[in-house]
Amino acid sequence: REIKTKLEVLNDELSVRNQRNPIEMIKSRVKKPSSIVEKLQRRNLEVSVDSMMANLDDIAGIRVICSFVDDIYAVSEMLTGQDDIKVIAIKDYIKNPKPNGYRSYHMIVSYPVETFSGTKTIRVEIQIRTLAMNFWSTIEHSLQYKYKQHMPDHIREKLSRVADAIIVLDNEMSTVRSEIMDAQNSCQIQTNLVKDILNNIQNLYTIANKRELVKIQDEFYRIYETKDLEQLRRFHSDLDNITEGYHVQAFE
């Protein structure tokens, strides 16, 4: 619960920085006793609480679902920067997918928890993935359970092809987001330029030659209708120089 709360706070911080929430969903679970026993036995380890605490990293698990691949690394970076979180291991199955096509970003971290018997340091496995990666993993896991680890080859091949398609989808969605953000930034830049230009023109009414002012206005309207940001920037710069020139003349 403490790690989940920390992630929710980090998500709020990232939303302020990026003007959107990078985390879509946070899921948590504690491994069932039967699963713990089975895993210890599978590894030929002693079945005991001490053995569990010493050898298992995923007793507590957090799954973080993000919209975009870039968000995964942003969340990971913010977790790594927390003073009370110690990163023990990282496995990047996004850059290095498993042979079956599985993609996700895994972190094993340790975290101090205050209890009635004092401070205990627990290890937590954090999996960070996109919505598409999580969808694939959920289906693959259910099929593995259904076929009891003996999945038919033709289904395994289909899952591999779908895994390749998912990474293409994630990359395309990241590209679309970048193009939208570029367009939004350009629109904001244009809005700011137009605001400055109009203020300059208004200021020129008290000091500029009226005939020249009409030419400046006509030129501004012509450039504004082209929606050409570079032309608007040049006009803005030229207008600044003109305004400065009039101020210098007035001072003299």
Side-chain angles (χ1 to χ4, degrees):
R1 283 199 297 267
E2 289 193 28
I3 292 287
K4 187 176 180 182
T5 300
K6 180 177 286 290
L7 281 163
E8 289 168 350
V9 172
L10 291 177
N11 192 36
D12 290 340
E13 291 182 14
L14 283 169
S15 71
V16 172
R17 181 193 300 178
N18 302 330
Q19 296 184 333
R20 65 180 185 84
N21 290 323
I23 298 176
E24 292 288 341
M25 189 185 313
I26 303 172
K27 297 181 178 181
S28 61
R29 66 106 180 97
V30 176
K31 209 172 189 66
K32 294 179 180 178
S34 58
S35 298
I36 292 172
V37 170
E38 186 273 331
K39 192 165 188 176
L40 290 171
Q41 290 175 337
R42 191 170 70 248
R43 294 185 177 183
N44 296 318
L45 297 169
E46 178 188 351
V47 178
S48 67
V49 173
D50 289 341
S51 176
M52 171 189 76
M53 295 297 292
N55 296 296
L56 299 187
D57 295 323
D58 61 345
I59 297 171
I62 301 281
R63 183 168 297 157
V64 181
I65 312 299
C66 299
S67 297
F68 302 98
V69 175
D70 290 347
D71 294 334
I72 293 172
Y73 293 102
V75 171
S76 170
E77 184 179 344
M78 289 201 75
L79 279 171
T80 303
Q82 300 296 298
D83 293 335
D84 52 354
I85 288 182
K86 179 182 177 182
V87 178
I88 298 173
I90 289 177
K91 293 181 180 179
D92 190 341
Y93 295 116
I94 298 172
K95 294 178 179 177
N96 302 289
K98 289 185 177 182
N100 67 345
Y102 175 85
R103 289 176 170 86
S104 187
Y105 189 92
H106 291 197
M107 302 177 71
I108 304 296
V109 305
S110 63
Y111 182 77
V113 176
E114 299 297 330
T115 70
F116 284 115
S117 56
T119 302
K120 293 185 180 296
T121 300
I122 63 166
R123 292 196 298 278
V124 181
E125 181 184 53
I126 302 174
Q127 300 176 354
I128 316 174
R129 56 181 65 156
T130 64
L131 288 159
M133 292 175 193
N134 189 62
F135 177 61
W136 184 94
S137 179
T138 301
I139 298 300
E140 195 270 347
H141 181 77
S142 66
L143 289 174
Q144 290 285 9
Y145 180 82
K146 177 180 179 181
Y147 289 106
K148 303 185 185 302
Q149 306 298 321
H150 299 291
M151 190 183 300
D153 288 341
H154 72 281
I155 293 181
R156 198 181 304 277
E157 290 172 4
K158 285 184 178 180
L159 279 172
S160 180
R161 290 198 299 271
V162 172
D164 292 338
I166 280 174
I167 198 63
V168 172
L169 172 63
D170 275 336
N171 289 337
E172 286 294 327
M173 292 304 293
S174 293
T175 300
V176 169
R177 184 194 62 171
S178 296
E179 290 177 357
I180 291 172
M181 290 177 65
D182 288 344
Q184 288 176 335
N185 290 336
S186 295
C187 184
Q188 187 60 50
I189 290 170
Q190 179 173 316
T191 299
N192 292 338
L193 284 172
V194 168
K195 182 179 178 180
D196 284 347
I197 288 169
L198 291 175
N199 283 337
N200 273 343
I201 290 175
Q202 185 175 2
N203 291 334
L204 283 173
Y205 266 99
T206 59
I207 56 176
N209 178 283
K210 297 300 184 276
R211 183 175 297 177
E212 183 177 3
L213 190 57
V214 170
K215 290 181 180 179
I216 289 172
Q217 287 178 312
D218 290 343
E219 180 66 7
F220 166 65
Y221 293 141
R222 184 191 67 79
I223 293 173
Y224 179 74
E225 288 180 356
T226 67
K227 305 298 181 183
D228 188 321
L229 191 58
E230 287 308 311
Q231 284 193 54
L232 201 61
R233 280 197 177 103
R234 287 195 294 272
F235 181 81
H236 179 265
S237 178
D238 292 342
L239 187 58
D240 277 345
N241 292 333
I242 292 171
T243 304
E244 183 64 25
Y246 271 108
H247 283 306
V248 170
Q249 290 177 17
F251 181 77
E252 292 174 350

